[in-house]
Amino acid sequence: MDAPLIDGLTADPPPASAAAWLGEAREAALAALRRDGLPDAREEAWKYTNLRALGQRRLLRGDAGAATRPIDPHLLGDAVPAGPRMVFVNGRFRSELSHLPDIDGLHLVPLDAALADAAEMVRAGLGRHYEARAEAFARLNTATAGDGVVLRVADGARIAAPVELVWIGAPAEADLAWNARMLVELGAGSALTLIERQAAAAPHAHLGNLVGQFTLGAGARLDLLQLQDAAAGSSLIRRSEARLAADAVLTLHTLEAGAQLLRHDLVVELAGDRSRLVSRGVFALRGRQHADTHLDVRHVARDTACDLVWRGVADARARGVFHGAITIAPGADGSDAMLSNKNLLLSAQAEIDTQPVLEIHADEVKAAHGATVGQLDEQALFYLRSRGLPAEAARSLLTQAFCAAVFADVGSAPLREQVMARLAAALPAEAA
């Protein structure tokens, strides 16, 4: 039992809600969490990520000063292109840093406001039960989260300006943990670009626990861009769940960098006929960073498709873990699934573990997967050096090209430039 972390974070649960179902959901999550504790190496899903040190920490839940903590406005950057923006500091919504114009078809509010005004509307998300011990942090999130965002797009609405959610970690008087929930729902035939961004005001060692739930109605389209750049000493545990109805399309680009410990579970259910997932991602690690990315894609309906391309780079004594699972369920005939994971080790001490998993229980499907771990191509390095490039510049050029190809299909040119700039900053120093 990881008593210090769990006992500390659950000792003072959120205030009782008027919604009985929410209280029951929180109590059930809390009981399961205290019964099972945090997962350890015996849990296959956590085999390569040791939580012992984190479990023994006694962190404070929430940040009493988050509402007034000064934030350098330059940290927010310029939204490109400009659109609605919600800013959170250590998990708390900051209205004065946010920009929330009225846009037809878009409903965007903080989670606590949604709970106060229309709790029943968020029941499907917050009321969800997490049955597996491996989902301990989702249980913790359910038991304690009171902050976050509710985003809804009306049927048929096509929101032109991208919505940006900025999660800023800031130093506090004590080590703390924050839990936040994102509930995103796109109505039938709607379309939205959503940018999630993690940023750090200064070094700290907080724990962030973020759960995002995305529901796409029939024919909806969501372009989701996730840029993780948390503080170097922090821990970020996050879970992104998506469920797609018929003909819905989710395009997901993810850059995972920053944080000392980063764990990201991506769980996508292709629940409607002809629904489609396109996922592109990179993790770029240096120092002693540890990143663990788990993809779990489930084809449930007919003629669904997923196209997954991920790259990993690790330098110094960093360690990357990639688990890509695709399951084609009985009856999901006509599914088309592809997974490619390639990784680069930039030092002899770095380590990357990759595990593609494919389970097929249907007929007439197309499925392929592959994974590699290697070093930079010596012949390519020799060629570049023979053209006059110094060794470090040649390594940098090849590493950036290896990762940049993943983001080449970001639809908006300004957004693509923004991602490329962040990628260059995230790569190990000698490769940037």
Side-chain angles (χ1 to χ4, degrees):
M1 175 66 71
D2 308 277
L5 180 74
I6 294 175
D7 287 352
L9 297 182
T10 59
D12 181 24
S17 169
W21 62 265
L22 180 56
E24 293 170 359
R26 285 174 171 167
E27 288 178 7
L30 184 58
L33 184 63
R34 285 177 170 160
R35 181 190 66 229
D36 296 339
L38 296 181
D40 54 31
R42 293 171 296 180
E43 202 78 32
E44 182 65 26
W46 290 86
K47 182 177 179 181
Y48 298 104
T49 298
N50 190 335
L51 296 174
R52 181 178 296 276
L54 180 62
Q56 294 303 313
R57 293 172 63 185
R58 183 173 288 275
L59 303 175
L60 296 179
R61 185 170 60 80
D63 178 12
T68 56
R69 204 167 292 287
I71 295 297
D72 185 343
H74 295 292
L75 191 63
L76 301 178
D78 295 324
V80 181
R85 169 190 276 172
M86 294 185 74
V87 179
F88 298 80
V89 176
N90 291 340
R92 290 287 303 276
F93 174 60
R94 292 281 293 267
S95 59
E96 83 281 9
L97 301 176
S98 303
H99 174 60
L100 297 173
D102 288 333
I103 296 178
D104 287 345
L106 178 67
H107 179 71
L108 181 61
V109 297
L111 177 61
D112 55 356
L115 284 171
D117 297 338
E120 195 64 27
M121 297 287 287
V122 298
R123 181 171 184 170
L126 284 186
R128 174 173 174 176
H129 291 274
Y130 292 93
E131 307 296 339
R133 184 181 181 225
E135 298 167 333
F137 286 93
R139 290 173 170 174
L140 175 63
N141 192 283
T142 296
T144 60
D147 296 298
V149 58
V150 175
L151 189 163
R152 283 197 174 86
V153 181
D155 289 353
R158 308 183 74 82
I159 308 301
V163 175
E164 188 178 24
L165 305 178
V166 185
W167 303 89
I168 297 175
E173 292 72 22
D175 284 346
L176 55 86
W178 54 266
N179 294 272
R181 184 73 67 103
M182 292 184 296
L183 302 174
V184 178
E185 182 178 336
L186 272 67
S190 64
L192 176 74
T193 297
L194 177 62
I195 304 166
E196 291 179 49
R197 188 157 61 85
Q198 306 281 340
H204 59 78
H206 303 332
L207 164 66
N209 181 16
L210 182 62
V211 173
Q213 294 168 299
F214 305 87
T215 304
L216 277 64
R221 177 170 185 125
L222 175 62
D223 293 323
L224 178 58
L225 182 61
Q226 298 178 320
L227 303 175
Q228 330 274 12
D229 192 15
S234 65
S235 298
L236 176 63
I237 310 289
R238 63 169 309 173
R239 180 182 178 91
S240 301
E241 307 170 359
R243 188 175 192 276
L244 280 61
D247 298 306
V249 178
L250 171 60
T251 302
L252 170 65
H253 290 88
T254 302
L255 172 59
E256 301 190 324
Q260 186 67 32
L261 169 64
L262 172 63
R263 165 77 180 215
H264 192 179
D265 287 89
L266 284 154
V267 182
V268 179
E269 184 180 47
L270 300 169
D273 291 351
R274 301 171 301 282
S275 54
R276 183 167 185 250
L277 166 68
V278 177
S279 176
R280 304 282 185 263
V282 169
F283 63 74
L285 311 176
R286 50 190 170 189
R288 288 181 173 270
Q289 289 180 311
H290 180 108
D292 186 346
T293 300
H294 266 229
L295 265 67
D296 182 2
V297 181
R298 304 164 187 170
H299 293 253
V300 177
R302 295 178 62 92
D303 302 316
T304 52
C306 73
D307 179 1
L308 317 174
V309 178
W310 279 70
R311 298 287 183 266
V313 176
D315 195 16
R317 301 179 69 86
R319 186 180 190 186
V321 180
F322 179 85
H323 177 93
I326 298 173
T327 303
I328 301 178
D333 300 343
S335 294
D336 187 349
M338 192 282 289
L339 165 66
S340 169
N341 175 235
K342 297 180 180 179
N343 302 280
L344 275 182
L345 293 174
L346 298 181
S347 85
Q349 292 75 39
E351 180 177 347
I352 294 179
D353 300 287
T354 177
Q355 184 181 31
V357 178
L358 183 59
E359 291 187 25
I360 301 175
H361 305 283
D363 299 322
E364 300 178 0
V365 304
K366 291 194 296 183
H369 64 178
T372 62
V373 180
Q375 290 80 39
L376 287 171
D377 188 320
E378 290 296 334
Q379 286 189 339
L381 277 173
F382 176 79
Y383 172 79
L384 291 176
R385 295 197 65 186
S386 70
R387 307 292 289 184
L389 265 70
E392 289 191 359
R395 284 165 55 85
S396 171
L397 190 63
L398 290 176
T399 305
Q400 289 194 55
F402 174 78
C403 297
V406 171
F407 298 122
D409 62 346
V410 172
S412 159
L415 280 179
R416 188 165 56 252
E417 291 175 6
Q418 191 178 75
V419 175
M420 294 301 185
R422 290 188 171 274
L423 172 64
L427 288 172
E430 60 270 32

